[in-house]
Amino acid sequence: MKEICVGICLKDDRYGRKLMEYLNHQKEFPMTACYFGNEESLWVKEQEGMFQCLLLSDESNYQGYVPFCRIDSRQCQSAAEIAGDIYDQLQVRTRNDWQIYGIYSPFGGMMATEFALEFVKRRSMPYLGMQPYPIFSIGEETTDELLFHIRQRRDDCIEYFLNHQEDLGSVKGYPGAGCFLDYRELSEEDYQWFFECIREKGISLAVDIGTACVPGLGFFRRLDKIYLPVTEQELETELYAGFLKQMRKYGIWGCSGMEEIVIGGKESIKEVISRL
């Protein structure tokens, strides 16, 4: 998503400054807003190419080339609605659209895969298996070919991805490679290239990750969000403490929005995912 800088100049100075504060602090539609007390100061920055969009009083006679929205402060339009209008005007996606999700457990096992499959089902997105050992009886050849397309950065990579997804029961996608070493033949940059192609095509993807298949710790930075399904018992182990220590040491923890998801107790995986 490109950086969005918005210039504001409204007749109601108090409302304009409050609107600037709201736009800068809300998270749904990320942007940087700058308020100007007079149009002359705004035009100077506008001519320097500072803004992607302007918010102006309805009586402004602006005739420039930057997209703009006219605001009637007397109607007290919701600031949240204005933020959404800006994104509509610029035709850009929000932070929550077309993301690459990672599902990862340092403990391994089937729980992470069960979480990933239910997550994919709920969100209606493709599944990409990156677990070290096959859990499906089909799809090794198509996954191997997809990895080859990614490694070669083939022009038809996304076309292949869209047209060769396997039926995995209630979801579709790529169940996993024939050998976990195949994943490590791709560089972090190869995966980054593939993920960007996916986003640009307007697709979200969930990646079910096993430790043995990660090409490097920087791989985690290529993901938009990582869910860590763990039990309460696992949270108290030395293994998990060591995992957290290493993630923090190398600056991974937090950079990809890693979020612990506690599984167990009275809630099922389905119920947990329904709250995300």
Side-chain angles (χ1 to χ4, degrees):
M1 183 182 67
K2 64 183 180 182
E3 290 287 333
I4 296 174
C5 188
V6 178
I8 305 172
C9 186
L10 303 177
K11 185 176 181 180
D12 187 332
D13 185 77
R14 183 169 176 269
Y15 173 70
R17 293 184 184 278
K18 282 192 172 184
L19 178 59
M20 175 189 69
E21 292 177 5
Y22 173 84
L23 294 177
N24 283 330
H25 289 93
Q26 54 86 36
K27 303 297 184 183
E28 185 175 1
F29 301 97
M31 66 183 74
T32 299
C34 303
Y35 181 77
F36 295 84
N38 59 77
E39 290 190 350
E40 288 73 20
S41 300
L42 176 67
W43 303 148
V44 171
K45 293 299 182 181
E46 182 261 348
Q47 291 173 9
E48 292 175 359
M50 179 176 178
F51 306 116
Q52 283 72 53
C53 187
L54 302 176
L55 297 178
L56 305 173
S57 299
D58 54 0
E59 60 221 30
S60 171
N61 60 358
Y62 177 69
Q63 299 294 326
Y65 298 100
V66 176
F68 64 94
C69 301
R70 296 195 187 277
I71 306 296
D72 186 348
S73 58
R74 294 171 297 179
Q75 295 181 354
C76 297
Q77 184 179 359
S78 163
E81 291 178 359
I82 293 173
D85 289 345
I86 292 170
Y87 267 56
D88 290 341
Q89 179 77 264
L90 298 178
Q91 296 183 326
V92 295
R93 60 187 175 91
T94 69
R95 178 177 292 175
N96 295 322
D97 292 336
W98 311 333
Q99 295 206 49
I100 309 299
Y101 296 91
I103 291 86
Y104 174 75
S105 170
F107 297 92
M110 278 297 297
M111 186 172 68
T113 295
E114 291 172 4
F115 182 97
L117 290 172
E118 183 62 28
F119 182 82
V120 163
K121 179 181 176 181
R122 291 292 185 109
R123 300 295 182 92
S124 300
M125 65 180 66
Y127 168 91
L128 174 60
M130 284 186 67
Q131 289 292 340
Y133 304 111
I135 60 171
F136 298 94
S137 59
I138 59 171
E140 293 180 7
E141 294 81 5
T142 54
T143 306
D144 290 341
E145 186 64 24
L146 175 64
L147 295 180
F148 174 78
H149 275 66
I150 298 171
R151 188 170 64 252
Q152 297 294 319
R153 305 199 183 186
R154 295 270 298 268
D155 291 340
D156 62 343
C157 182
I158 297 303
E159 181 181 352
Y160 181 89
F161 174 81
L162 293 173
N163 295 331
H164 292 82
Q165 295 178 24
E166 300 282 352
D167 188 345
L168 306 176
S170 58
V171 304
K172 287 191 173 184
Y174 291 84
C179 176
F180 69 89
L181 294 174
D182 294 343
Y183 295 106
R184 299 172 71 95
E185 291 185 5
L186 279 67
S187 67
E188 294 175 14
E189 290 72 24
D190 290 333
Y191 285 107
Q192 175 68 24
W193 173 82
F194 174 61
F195 294 156
E196 278 303 313
C197 290
I198 290 289
R199 293 186 189 99
E200 289 174 4
K201 198 66 176 178
I203 304 170
S204 291
L205 175 69
V207 187
D208 180 14
I209 307 164
T211 301
C213 303
V214 177
L217 289 178
F219 173 81
F220 291 114
R221 295 192 181 94
R222 318 290 174 163
L223 306 166
D224 298 306
K225 179 75 177 180
I226 302 174
Y227 291 115
L228 305 168
V230 291
T231 65
E232 291 184 356
Q233 293 76 20
E234 288 171 339
L235 286 173
E236 302 300 323
T237 64
E238 292 296 326
L239 188 155
Y240 196 70
F243 162 73
L244 292 179
K245 180 180 178 181
Q246 193 166 101
M247 293 298 100
R248 288 167 177 150
K249 178 180 179 181
Y250 291 99
I252 305 299
W253 185 261
C255 74
S256 296
M258 284 187 168
E259 180 179 349
E260 296 166 342
I261 305 295
V262 180
I263 305 296
K266 297 181 179 180
E267 285 190 311
S268 66
I269 288 178
K270 291 182 179 181
E271 291 171 327
V272 171
I273 291 176
S274 69
R275 293 189 286 101
L276 296 179

